Amino acid sequence: MSQKLRTHESRRSTRVPLKVVISAQSLTEPLTCDGETILVNLHGALISSSIPLRIGMEIEIYVILTGKRAPAKVVYVDPERPRVCGIGLAAPENIWGLSFPPDDWYESTH
């Protein structure tokens, strides 16, 4: 299990542990929920939401701290904790408010 997690984490950009309050709104159905990030990277985040989300769900993430919004897709749901899920941003960007992001975040933006 830890090897699977390591493989997943090394995919595209460095993941950073960060708790930031977010709101998620479905782009295809009337659903809005609150949550917070657990890990963030340039391409998405592992989040905890107030209600379970589904793999494939298209959402808009709103980061309260930064006031930034971004379209995203639910790409993973923890089978043991259905309110913990991974989201992929439609376009790589630092919407999380990290003042000093890892170096590979800059490389991936161009």
Side-chain angles (χ1 to χ4, degrees), residues 57-79:
M57 183 179 279
E58 294 182 13
I59 59 175
E60 180 182 70
I61 293 293
Y62 174 64
V63 181
I64 309 297
L65 178 70
T66 64
K68 293 184 179 182
R69 297 177 186 273
K73 191 174 202 175
V74 178
V75 296
Y76 168 80
V77 174
D78 187 321

Side-chain angles (χ1 to χ4, degrees), residues 2 4 28-29 34 37 40 46 48-49 53 57 59 80 82 85 90 98-99 102 104 106:
S2 62
K4 183 179 176 185
T28 57
E29 56 191 91
D34 295 323
T37 61
V40 299
L46 184 67
S48 174
S49 62
L53 302 177
M57 183 179 279
I59 59 175
E80 296 175 10
C85 59
L98 280 179
S99 300
D104 65 349
Y106 297 108

Side-chain angles (χ1 to χ4, degrees), residues 3-109:
Q3 183 177 357
K4 183 179 176 185
L5 184 59
R6 265 187 248 121
T7 302
H8 187 67
E9 284 182 346
S10 63
R11 255 195 279 178
R12 296 190 276 179
S13 59
T14 303
R15 291 189 176 185
V16 179
L18 181 70
K19 278 193 173 191
V20 176
V21 177
I22 59 167
S23 176
Q25 179 176 345
S26 172
L27 297 176
T28 57
E29 56 191 91
L31 179 141
T32 301
C33 67
D34 295 323
E36 67 181 10
T37 61
I38 300 168
L39 292 170
V40 299
N41 72 4
L42 188 65
H43 296 88
L46 184 67
I47 66 169
S48 174
S49 62
S50 58
I51 60 172
L53 302 177
R54 294 184 321 278
I55 291 177
M57 183 179 279
E58 294 182 13
I59 59 175
E60 180 182 70
I61 293 293
Y62 174 64
V63 181
I64 309 297
L65 178 70
T66 64
K68 293 184 179 182
R69 297 177 186 273
K73 191 174 202 175
V74 178
V75 296
Y76 168 80
V77 174
D78 187 321
E80 296 175 10
R81 300 174 297 163
R83 292 182 183 187
V84 173
C85 59
I87 60 164
L89 297 175
E93 61 180 302
N94 178 12
I95 66 169
W96 316 114
L98 280 179
S99 300
F100 301 102
D103 289 340
D104 65 349
W105 286 28
Y106 297 108
E107 295 169 13
S108 299
T109 59

